[in-house]
Amino acid sequence: MTAATTTAGTTTTDAGRWRPLYLLAAAQFIMVLDTSVMNVSISQLVEDFDTEVSTIQAVITLYALVMAAFMILGGKLGDLWGRRRAWSVGLAVYGLGSFLTAISWSVPALVLGWSVVEGLGAALVLPALAALVAGNYRGKDRAAAYAVIGAVAGAGVAVGPLLGGWVTSNLSWRYVFAGETVVVIGILVVRRWVSEGPAARRPQLDGVGAALSALGMALVVWGVLQSATWGLLEPRDSPVTPFGFSLTLFVVAAGFAVLWLFARWQARRVSRDEDPLLDMSLLDILPLRSGLTVLLAQQLVLMGIFFVIPLYLQVVQGFDAFATGLRLLPVSVTMLVGAGVGPVLGRTIGARTLCRAGLLILLAAALYLLTTIQPVIDGTNFAIGMAILGLGIGLLASQLGNVIQSTVGEEARGEVGGLQFTAQNLGASLGTAFIGSIVVGALATSAAKGVAADPAISAAVKDAVGVQLESGVEFMSVSAVEQALTAAAVPAAEAQALLEQYAAAQLVGLKTALLAVGAISLLSLVFTRNLPTRPMTSPTAVTDAEESPEEAAAA
């Protein structure tokens, strides 16, 4: 057995030096498992809590938003307490949230356990986790460790639908969260396998900055989420209509205004020699800024797809949770392939090229699904589309974590970890909110146009449907709509015409969402310009790979 030297300067076996990675990877896996389990269990959650799809969409969005809103603060607390302690405390909080979720008896209880408590725990765990990977490994080992963490994160997103689908269909989604509680306890028992790594300077806490950043992000995401109900610009069911516009525009604008105030507050603290919540100068590091932006876009695309596709499979096609998970299996396989191949290719190809390839593959997946998705699923075409999607996500995941963490020295690892997972979870929350809102908005618009133009539907029924659509529409199965029409005593011929229009509108909503996903993937290519062009084989590879202005212009 050969020996190796860890960052702490102690000697351990080759097998033993990977023990910290086992725990860190396990923590990463359960952190990302939840959302994919929830997405594939949407229909069961709606039934169990006697609620609507939009409510579960809001619960899923809130989980990611809580993480995004408190992730920078979580990274700062890791510097203050020590990263292993913050990681351990966060895991304990996360385990408590998992337990509360497993026994939740109502939507508010689900929100408390999953969206809030688990979200706060994750906000402590993830920045510390990113810094602990860097603190426990160096050089090629660090690149390999980040590739493993990226692959495990991808596997959690990909395996979640299959695992969660089987458990939900055969037992209950609650067992997944009970199992997470047990895994957390196991990790905490052997947490000393993970070394602290180099000590970071103890910072001052910026409570005002934490409040401003959380409020700003919350307003932006809430406004996007409500756009399906309130309307984007033209008011639909907006509680107030300032200057004749939907409230959405003003809520989102208020969020950006608060984030501007946050940036000004950070500058003020720096000018007074006080520790800011976020060192804004970090965003002047071009590879870091590009990495964060592409990561946000990747998560927006991924979580948008993973919200929309289960809706298509469960609500439109009528599949249960396990059948939904099976049809998402190609994503699991190719995501792992992409995450495994990425580091190998990265030895000779720069991160910029690989990330551009990943984004183009995502665009290809969206376009393929857009052109092949049908009212009745074509299993082969759907599997191909999912496989293409997984490959693109895997390639991106194999590069971005290492790019982001390798742009700074040891002293800024926790802060950059907070930025990394803020971008990741802000992207996830925006993906669920934005893409979900596009689906519902396009559904309502298409249904309204179809009903208005259908001669088989009387004027009285058109007026009644128009009023209903103006007050809000839910993405529900055709059979549920049929029951509602029967209860409303709509004549059979008109009810059939309405059902046909609704089914057509469902498909329009899904295709519009896929078109948006493709557009986001394409636009994200712009932000890859400052990613490293040379292979990343050391902690300073990003700095070494920075180009001269002439090289950048030539690219």
Side-chain angles (χ1 to χ4, degrees), residues 286-379:
L286 296 181
L288 174 60
R289 193 163 65 197
S290 284
L292 291 171
T293 307
V294 176
L295 178 62
L296 187 149
Q298 172 207 311
Q299 286 298 111
L300 197 158
V301 167
L302 179 63
M303 299 316 299
I305 284 279
F306 268 74
F307 180 76
V308 168
I309 292 299
L311 276 183
Y312 168 67
L313 294 174
Q314 294 187 351
V315 178
V316 178
Q317 301 298 321
F319 294 135
D320 64 15
F322 182 54
T324 298
L326 280 176
R327 281 158 181 82
L328 295 176
L329 185 58
V331 177
S332 309
V333 176
T334 56
M335 191 179 292
L336 293 175
V337 169
V341 169
V344 177
L345 295 175
R347 296 170 189 167
T348 55
I349 301 173
R352 180 202 289 178
T353 301
L354 287 175
C355 287
R356 284 178 173 176
L359 289 170
L360 287 172
I361 291 171
L362 291 185
L363 173 61
L367 294 178
Y368 188 88
L369 288 169
L370 180 63
T371 56
T372 59
I373 202 164
Q374 299 293 333
V376 177
I377 189 171
D378 182 323

Side-chain angles (χ1 to χ4, degrees), residues 230-236 238 240-242 244-250:
W230 295 345
L232 187 57
L233 293 176
E234 183 178 347
R236 185 180 298 126
S238 182
V240 294
T241 56
F245 292 101
S246 166
L247 185 59
T248 297
L249 180 65
F250 297 91

